[in-house]
Structures are given as structure tokens and as C-alpha cells.
Amino acid sequence: MTLLSSVNVAALLFSSTAGLSAALIAWVISRAVVAVPGENRSYKDAPPVGFRLLWRPIRWTSHYLEPYLPQKMRNRLVVRLRQAGMEYSLSPAEFVAGRLLFAAVLSAGATVVLPTFELAWGTTLQLTLFFALCGWAYPAIWLRDRIALRRRELLKVLPFFLDLITLCMEAGLNLQGAMQQAVAKGPESALRDEFQRVLRDIRAGKPRAESLRALAERLDEPSVTTFVSAVIQAENMGMNLAPVLRAQADQRRSERFQRAEKQAMEAPVKMLFPLIAFIFPCTFIILLFPIGMQLMEAGF
């Protein structure tokens, strides 16, 4: 009886200690969550879908992570988010917090699912680390692809927008009115949103030259920088903007054709590896299989 009583007392103490520890951890976490200030997103865009699914934990993590982000990393992420058009959707701390949480979610899912396959402990650990690495790397890959897609879209529609602005100026409108017409009549694209932001900046009292320089800085594209520099220089010299814009539109269209020709010339080189690795072996198998069977039947 004494031994059984001691075991019961030890089990009671252990359960009480575990319960108190869990309650203390829950209290600390709740205090940390309550300490995170609210967010005013009335002037911001909605976050991407993947970030939206984990938005509350991302906000809580980014609040405590932001003071520890190096300034160099923060500046680099600000530039990349601006190039991706996510400047008003995510902050650098929220992006890094999202990467951490994606890694944690995938590793936790792997920890739950992988034991059902009865793998070795070392293999399970390696796969868990692999899934965590995938969760950490995926947002960076997504951001890179979004920047590349936005750049291709921008270069594709830039000559058309310059043509619209040029036609409106030749019809008698000033530059601001021509940009308004281009925004109203142009196709939906990243460039349209950027020109709309330029118009908002001008209406808010920002000088037109500074608004255009901010456009070139946000997009960080040589074609847009050249266009902005030409417009500002022509305005400073008192030149007529319509011929300048017409020349810029022709130049951008010529560059678009050159990019298309370059991609067409690169296509055969890019197809060489799939041909050698996948298509040629299948072709040789189909052609040589009957010959091989005949040789085997002949006794060779």
C-alpha cells in the first residue's frame, strides 16, 4: 500500500506540474498575442492567398521578428516587394515570417504523416528537414516568378501605353490628361496601375517630375527609366513632348521585336536537352527494337 500510495502521489505531482506548465505556456502565448497591435489595412492591398491562410500567425510572428531583421535584408526585401507589386500587401518582416511559418507547417505535417509509412528514423528526419526547406524556399521562388512575370507584362504593354499617350498629346491634351486617358482606355496591367499611382501622386500635390522619377525607381526597368528621363529632359528644355514620346514608343516597340527574335533563336538551343534526354532514346528504341528481335531470332 505504501508503494502504491507513493506512485499515486508522484503521478499526481507530475500531472499537476504538467498542467501548470501548460497553463503557464498558454498564458504567456496569450499575453504575447494580445500585445500585438491591430493593423489598419484600409489603404493596403489584400495579401496573397497563401499568406492570407496564415495571416494571424504571420502578423504575430512579424511583430516580434521585425526588430531583429538586419537593415540590409529589409532594404533588399523592400525593393523586391516593390518590383513584384506587393509593396502595399506585405512588409519585409511579414514576408520573412511567412517563410518561417510555411517551413514550420510543412515540417509539422511531415512529422505527422511520415511515421505512418514506417520509415527509418534517420529517413524521417531527413524528409522532415527537406519539407521544411521547401516551405522556406517556396515564397522566395514565388516572389522571383512574380517579379519576372510582372516585368514581362510591363515590357509587353509599354509600347501600347506610350502610343496612347502620344495620340492623346497630338490631339491637344497635356501630359497629365494623356496619362489619364491611357489609364482609362488601356488594358489592365501592372503598368496601368503604376501610371494610376503617378496620377494619384500628382493630384496629392507631388511634382510631376518627382512622381515620374518615383515610377522609374519602383519599376527599376531600363525602358521605363529611359522614358522618364526623356520626358523630364524635354520638359526642362521646353520641347514638344509628342515627338519625344513618339520616338520612345517606336524604340520600345523595336526592343520588343528584338526580344521576340532573341527568344525565337534561343528556342532550338533550349530544346536540345529534351530532345537528347527524352525524344531521341524513345525514337531509337522504336527503330532498333525490331532489328534487335530479328538478330536474336537469328542466333546473334
Side-chain angles (χ1 to χ4, degrees):
M1 287 296 292
T2 306
L3 180 60
L4 183 60
S5 300
S6 301
V7 171
N8 291 334
V9 170
L12 180 62
L13 290 175
F14 178 78
S15 60
S16 300
T17 305
L20 289 175
S21 301
L24 181 61
I25 293 173
W27 179 78
V28 171
I29 293 175
S30 63
R31 293 283 296 178
V33 169
V34 171
V36 177
E39 183 185 23
N40 181 18
R41 297 196 66 88
S42 58
Y43 64 96
K44 293 184 177 181
D45 299 326
V49 177
F51 286 83
R52 207 178 307 164
L53 295 175
L54 300 172
W55 187 244
R56 289 293 182 86
I58 287 174
R59 279 287 304 138
W60 301 333
T61 307
S62 64
H63 174 73
Y64 295 102
L65 181 65
E66 188 169 8
Y68 301 99
L69 275 184
Q71 188 63 35
K72 188 175 181 179
M73 178 188 292
R74 187 181 288 112
N75 295 337
R76 185 173 68 250
L77 286 175
V78 165
V79 173
R80 293 187 63 79
L81 290 171
R82 184 186 302 146
Q83 291 175 349
M86 309 296 296
E87 185 180 6
Y88 287 99
S89 296
L90 295 172
S91 66
E94 290 168 351
F95 181 75
V96 176
R99 296 184 70 180
L100 290 173
L101 286 175
F102 287 147
V105 168
L106 285 184
S107 61
T111 304
V112 173
V113 174
L114 289 177
T116 60
F117 294 97
E118 298 181 356
L119 300 174
W121 182 84
T123 304
T124 302
L125 179 60
Q126 291 176 359
L127 289 175
T128 301
L129 294 176
F130 172 75
F131 280 110
L133 181 62
C134 290
W136 169 261
Y138 176 74
I141 298 172
W142 167 82
L143 183 64
R144 184 197 62 189
D145 292 343
R146 184 178 176 89
I147 292 173
L149 178 63
R150 196 166 185 263
R151 181 177 181 272
R152 289 195 301 268
E153 180 187 4
L154 185 148
L155 294 176
K156 182 179 179 181
V157 301
L158 179 59
F160 180 73
F161 267 90
L162 293 181
D163 284 335
L164 282 179
I165 295 173
T166 304
L167 288 173
C168 292
M169 293 197 67
E170 290 175 347
L173 293 177
N174 59 5
L175 180 59
Q176 185 173 347
M179 286 192 295
Q180 289 177 349
Q181 290 299 317
V183 168
K185 305 299 182 182
E188 293 187 3
S189 62
L191 188 61
R192 177 186 176 184
D193 297 337
E194 292 295 337
F195 273 117
Q196 196 167 11
R197 183 172 174 181
V198 170
L199 294 173
R200 287 201 304 265
D201 291 342
I202 294 173
R203 285 195 294 268
K206 193 173 184 179
R208 186 164 62 191
E210 292 185 11
S211 301
L212 290 174
R213 288 193 185 96
L215 168 68
E217 183 180 353
R218 286 195 304 271
L219 297 179
D220 194 18
E221 180 59 41
S223 300
V224 179
T225 304
T226 303
F227 157 70
V228 169
S229 300
V231 170
I232 293 175
Q233 186 176 4
E235 281 190 328
N236 292 335
M237 297 178 64
M239 297 173 57
N240 186 9
L241 289 179
V244 175
L245 292 175
R246 176 65 66 187
Q248 288 291 317
D250 294 339
Q251 181 66 25
R252 301 290 84 78
R253 190 177 298 104
S254 175
E255 291 175 355
R256 187 174 67 179
F257 284 130
Q258 290 174 2
R259 285 193 300 270
E261 291 177 355
K262 179 182 176 183
Q263 292 177 357
M265 295 177 65
E266 290 176 349
V269 179
K270 293 180 179 178
M271 286 293 295
L272 187 60
F273 176 75
L275 283 172
I276 296 174
F278 303 107
I279 299 177
F280 283 171
C282 297
T283 304
F284 292 148
I285 290 173
I286 294 172
L287 294 177
L288 297 178
F289 179 75
I291 300 174
M293 292 299 295
Q294 291 178 3
L295 292 174
M296 291 176 62
E297 290 177 356
F300 287 98

